[in-house]
Amino acid sequence: MKRAALATLAALLFFATPVLAQDPTVVDADKYVVDFENDYVRVLRITYAPGEKSVMHEHPAGVSVMLAGGTIRMHLPDGTSEDLVSTDGEAMWMDGVTHLPENVGDGNVEVILVEMKKRKKKEKEEGCN
């Protein structure tokens, strides 16, 4: 009986994890488009019209370039939120994050996000740059 309960718990944890850490190109494909991808980076084009809101998802660390800046409210998993105000052409570093963005400004927001991928162990050992 104990084994069955542990197996059920393990299965629930396995399947619950993707719900908490979803890929935005899968769960919100109309706003997140992959422009380029290789073993090192993934480049996303992100577009939000005024009032548009996403779903909770995550990104690894990366660099964002605001093609059309604005005000985005970042809703966080703990229930808090913070507003990010950006200007056209602004570039910024972003640590890995789980969030739910919402455009609370008056205009479209368009972003190019370059997500960093973790290097494979073999490449690190061979000294690849």
Side-chain angles (χ1 to χ4, degrees), residues 25 33 36 56 58 62 70 109 116 126:
T25 64
V33 176
F36 174 82
M56 194 67 68
E58 79 171 4
V109 172
M116 310 305 290
E126 293 174 357

Side-chain angles (χ1 to χ4, degrees), residues 15 41 51 57 72 84 90 93 96 103 111 118 120 125 129:
F15 290 109
V41 298
H57 61 265
I72 296 288
L84 173 65
E90 183 177 2
W93 174 258
N103 183 352
V111 183
K118 292 183 180 177
K120 297 175 185 167
E125 291 169 359
N129 292 322

